[in-house]
């Protein structure tokens, strides 16, 4: 072969390659833009259309594979998702994965457009193509950034509120099987504390003390409110505090009314009076109230969740408010000027007026739960239960997706608990059951068992609680001491809407929180 023939062959090869490249390109700018959109919706398809078939097939396979895996896990492995969502380490890996996938997606779009666009383009066509590609990249970058920030917000929330069992201490937390926490727990008893601290308040008083007794199989929940001014709160006989207060928490040599020995004072006062008496713990006040509330009601309290009432306002706003029925005027502010934690006497600054289905923001929801000027403690307790009920019902998937970072930020400031990270997936699954199940209020019969806070009848209350949460068709033996009883399984009494409640019975919260303007709140 002559030198000239070989040279001609070498020169002809690039032309053939350029010809093959042209054959994959769109003939017009508008068609290139359309194919680029397809490449963004089906990652890898643009590379195939642009002639990079092996690379395109690889990207397309990865894209389809990820979608199939996501669909499979989402539909069949909910427990895996829940475990993943509450693991700080795995959430950090997920954040990195989201960022890498987002960057890879943007690269695929840009590379596809470069392969597909015509070789010769007018200035207008080139500008239109560049603007469209930029818009697509922006549309990918924004949700990718939001997703990464949301995952990090979840990681921050889990790490801030829920500590691992090895990194936290509790004097009252039970030992459970991490793989199946409810295997030997037919009922989970959770103590809900509302800490009434804030500007103008002295110390921390748990003005809200509610026990939620949850059937771990069905999610049916009984809410039991304890009055803040109860005295002589008992302790279990095996507790070192029982040796100091064998007849309950009060001063036998003191006056009849002892505000510094109320239930709401125990969180702060007992740790001050007897520091370290319960052993190593991260929150001795909460452990004290857990023991006392459990002994008073005849239950073993498993965990606590403490809510800062100032932060409560933020989380209500984060979920977009709650809808409640207001049966009577509820005061905003107001102070009698006496009693622990009080300021100077003053009238309420306003009122939440009665009305059915009222949408309340965080400020008004907080006062709906807290307002008590001129109203009774039982009415306040009922409004607090209705506020919790409304909050549970107001959280929906759309709210979680659109406002999760705000909710997580509020939750980090709002909550304190001894629930360990290791059992969070089980807690989330139980929470889903509770949202769909029946929630009832257990009436402890104030007129009979605690007409005042000075000498409550705890044994009679224990009988009411045991009856309310006992399985249907089974009788419950009378309680003869303040020692916590074994946890029975669920059951509660069905009620018709807005009936006259018989003292000592369980009432469905849908009925208790219904609109009934005949109520006075006194």
């Amino acid at each position: 072969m002559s030198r000239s023939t070989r040279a001609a062959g070498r020169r002809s090869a690039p032309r053939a390659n350029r010809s093959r490249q042209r054959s994959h390109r769109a003939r017009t700018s508008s068609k290139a833009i359309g194919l680029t959109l397809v490449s963004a919706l089906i990652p890898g398809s643009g590379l195939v259309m642009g002639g990079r078939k092996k690379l395109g097939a690889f990207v397309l396979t990865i894209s389809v594979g990820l979608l199939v895996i996501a669909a499979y896990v989402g539909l069949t492995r909910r427990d895996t998702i829940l475990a993943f969502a509450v693991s700080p380490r795995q959430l950090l890996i997920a954040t990195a994965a989201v960022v890498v996938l987002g960057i890879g997606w943007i690269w695929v779009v840009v590379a596809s457009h470069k392969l597909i666009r015509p070789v010769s383009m007018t200035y207008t066509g080139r500008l239109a193509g560049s603007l469209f590609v930029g818009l697509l990249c922006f549309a990918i970058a924004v949700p990718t950034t939001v997703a990464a920030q949301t995952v990090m917000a979840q990681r921050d929330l889990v790490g801030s509120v829920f500590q691992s069992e090895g990194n936290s201490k509790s004097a009252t937390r039970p030992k459970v099987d991490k793989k199946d926490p409810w295997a030997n727990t037919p009922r989970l008893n959770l103590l809900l504390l509302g800490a009434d601290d804030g500007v103008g308040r002295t110390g921390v008083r748990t003005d809200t003390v509610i026990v939620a007794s949850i059937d771990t199989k069905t999610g049916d929940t009984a809410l039991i409110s304890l009055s803040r001014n109860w005295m002589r709160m008992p302790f279990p006989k095996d507790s070192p505090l029982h040796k100091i207060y064998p007849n309950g928490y009060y001063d036998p040599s003191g006056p009849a009314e002892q505000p510094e020995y109320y239930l709401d004072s125990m969180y702060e006062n007992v740790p001050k009076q007897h520091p370290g008496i319960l052993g190593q713990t991260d929150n001795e006040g909460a452990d004290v109230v857990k023991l006392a509330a459990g002994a008073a009601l005849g239950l073993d309290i498993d965990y606590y969740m403490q809510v800062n009432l100032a932060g409560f306002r933020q989380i209500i706003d984060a979920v977009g408010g709650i809808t409640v029925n207001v049966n009577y005027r509820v005061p905003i502010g107001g102070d009698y000027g006496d009693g622990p934690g009080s300021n100077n006497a003053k009238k309420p600054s306003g009122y939440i007026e009665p009305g059915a289905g009222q949408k309340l923001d965080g400020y008004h929801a907080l006062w709906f739960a807290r307002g008590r000027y001129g109203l009774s403690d039982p009415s306040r307790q009922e409004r607090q239960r209705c506020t919790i009920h409304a909050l549970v019902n107001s959280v929906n998937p759309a709210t979680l997706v659109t406002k999760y970072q705000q909710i997580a930020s509020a939750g980090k400031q709002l909550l304190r608990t001894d629930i360990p990270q290791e059992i969070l997936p089980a807690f989330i699954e139980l929470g889903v059951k509770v949202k769909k199940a029946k929630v009832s209020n257990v009436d402890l019969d104030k007129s009979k068992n605690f007409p005042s806070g000075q000498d409550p009848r705890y044994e009679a209350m224990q009988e009411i609680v045991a009856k309310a949460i006992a399985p249907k068709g089974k009788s419950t033996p009378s309680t003869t001491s303040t020692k916590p009883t074994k946890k029975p399984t669920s059951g509660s009494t069905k009620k018709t809407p807005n009936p006259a409640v018989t003292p000592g019975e369980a009432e469905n919260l849908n009925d208790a929180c219904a609109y009934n303007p005949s109520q006075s709140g006194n």
Side-chain angles (χ1 to χ4, degrees):
M1 183 182 291
S2 65
R3 183 179 299 175
S4 60
T5 303
R6 289 196 300 270
R10 287 194 297 270
R11 287 195 297 270
S12 65
R15 291 195 186 100
N17 186 50
R18 286 197 295 269
S19 177
R20 286 196 299 270
Q21 288 181 354
R22 286 196 190 97
S23 67
H24 295 293
R25 292 182 179 273
R27 294 181 178 275
T28 63
S29 298
S30 59
K31 187 175 181 180
I33 289 174
L35 294 176
T36 302
L37 176 60
V38 173
S39 74
L41 298 175
I42 309 175
S45 60
L47 295 173
V48 174
M49 290 184 289
R52 301 291 299 275
K53 292 183 178 181
K54 289 184 179 180
L55 179 60
F58 174 75
V59 173
L60 191 59
T61 302
I62 293 296
S63 302
V64 173
L66 289 174
L67 286 174
V68 170
I69 292 172
Y72 170 76
V73 172
L75 294 174
T76 64
R77 301 296 300 273
R78 189 175 65 174
D79 54 341
T80 301
I81 296 175
L82 294 175
F84 189 90
V86 292
S87 169
R89 181 175 176 273
Q90 293 182 353
L91 288 170
L92 185 61
I93 295 173
T95 303
V98 168
V99 173
V100 169
L101 288 174
I103 294 173
W105 196 356
I106 290 173
W107 177 85
V108 168
V109 171
V110 173
S112 298
H113 182 72
K114 285 183 176 180
L115 291 171
I116 293 170
R117 69 187 180 185
V119 175
S120 299
M121 298 178 67
T122 63
Y123 174 77
T124 302
R126 187 177 294 275
L127 179 62
S130 299
L131 289 175
F132 185 73
V133 170
L135 183 62
L136 284 178
C137 293
F138 180 76
I140 295 170
V142 169
T144 298
T145 302
V146 171
Q149 290 176 341
T150 301
V151 175
M152 287 302 293
Q154 169 69 4
R155 181 176 184 270
D156 191 27
L157 173 64
V158 172
S160 299
V161 177
F162 302 95
Q163 301 296 316
S164 66
E165 195 169 49
N167 294 331
S168 60
K169 299 179 180 65
S170 171
T172 58
R173 184 167 58 196
K175 294 288 185 183
V176 297
D177 180 2
K178 307 297 188 302
K179 295 182 180 179
D180 188 4
W182 318 138
N184 300 310
T185 308
R187 294 199 75 89
L188 175 74
N189 297 311
L190 186 63
L191 180 69
L192 307 176
L193 297 175
D196 200 13
D197 53 336
V199 178
R201 304 285 300 185
T202 302
V204 178
R205 285 186 173 259
T206 51
D207 277 9
T208 300
V209 181
I210 299 174
V211 172
S213 183
I214 307 168
D215 186 310
T216 55
K217 286 190 175 7
T218 66
D220 287 346
T221 302
L223 295 182
I224 311 159
S225 294
L226 288 74
S227 289
R228 66 182 186 86
N229 66 335
W230 282 354
M231 292 169 52
R232 296 177 170 81
M233 286 293 294
F235 293 104
K237 290 184 177 179
D238 59 354
S239 167
L241 286 168
H242 179 78
K243 298 177 181 178
I244 301 174
Y245 304 104
N247 298 313
Y249 182 64
Y250 83 114
D251 181 2
S253 60
E257 194 71 20
Q258 302 177 25
E260 290 305 321
Y261 287 88
Y262 283 173
L263 167 58
D264 70 354
S265 74
M266 298 178 72
Y267 180 91
E268 183 172 11
N269 287 352
V270 174
K272 284 183 177 179
Q273 295 163 354
H274 312 285
I277 190 171
L278 298 179
Q280 292 187 331
T281 175
D282 295 331
N283 191 343
E284 189 170 18
D287 281 332
V288 167
V289 181
K290 280 174 70 175
L291 291 173
L297 300 178
L299 299 171
D300 296 319
I301 308 296
D302 300 289
Y303 304 99
Y304 79 90
M305 291 193 72
Q306 182 176 326
V307 178
N308 180 320
L309 293 184
F312 181 76
R313 173 179 173 179
Q314 298 178 28
I315 206 162
I316 294 292
D317 286 331
V319 301
I322 59 173
T323 301
V324 297
N325 295 306
V326 184
N327 294 323
Y328 44 84
R329 298 181 84 202
V330 178
I332 298 174
D335 202 313
Y336 295 115
D338 55 6
S342 294
N343 301 306
N344 295 328
K346 59 181 178 182
K347 297 288 186 180
S349 60
Y351 286 87
I352 302 172
E353 298 296 336
Q358 292 200 48
K359 188 69 174 285
L360 303 182
D361 59 14
Y363 174 79
H364 290 92
L366 181 59
W367 280 112
F368 176 75
R370 291 184 62 189
R372 68 184 182 192
Y373 191 92
L375 301 176
S376 67
D377 271 349
S379 71
R380 186 185 192 219
Q381 293 165 6
E382 183 174 82
R383 281 182 277 116
Q384 289 170 349
R385 292 189 293 267
C386 291
T387 302
I388 294 171
H389 191 48
L391 179 58
V392 171
N393 290 333
S394 68
V395 179
N396 56 66
T399 302
L400 288 175
V401 170
T402 58
K403 296 186 177 181
Y404 188 77
Q405 291 184 47
Q406 188 179 353
I407 294 171
S409 177
K412 189 172 67 171
Q413 303 175 46
L414 174 76
L415 297 174
R416 188 177 181 185
T417 183
D418 60 351
I419 299 171
Q421 281 183 8
E422 291 83 355
I423 64 171
L424 281 181
F427 255 96
I428 296 173
E429 285 190 337
L430 185 59
V432 173
K433 291 181 182 178
V434 170
K435 185 175 174 61
K436 298 177 181 178
K438 182 171 65 175
V439 181
S440 59
N441 161 49
V442 178
D443 183 354
L444 297 178
D445 196 351
K446 173 180 170 61
S447 61
K448 181 179 179 182
N449 293 328
F450 54 103
S452 73
Q454 293 180 14
D455 193 16
R457 299 181 57 198
Y458 294 118
E459 291 185 10
M461 293 185 207
Q462 291 169 23
E463 292 183 5
I464 291 173
V465 171
K467 179 181 177 182
I469 66 176
K472 293 180 181 179
K474 290 188 178 181
S475 59
T476 305
S478 298
T479 304
T480 57
S481 71
T482 58
K483 185 177 180 179
T485 59
K486 272 194 163 182
K487 300 173 200 169
T489 51
S490 69
S492 58
T493 307
K494 288 187 177 180
K495 303 291 287 184
T496 55
N498 249 354
V501 182
T502 303
E505 288 190 355
E507 180 185 20
N508 192 308
L509 270 190
N510 288 326
D511 300 334
C513 300
Y515 185 54
N516 182 10
S518 64
Q519 292 184 6
S520 65
N522 297 320

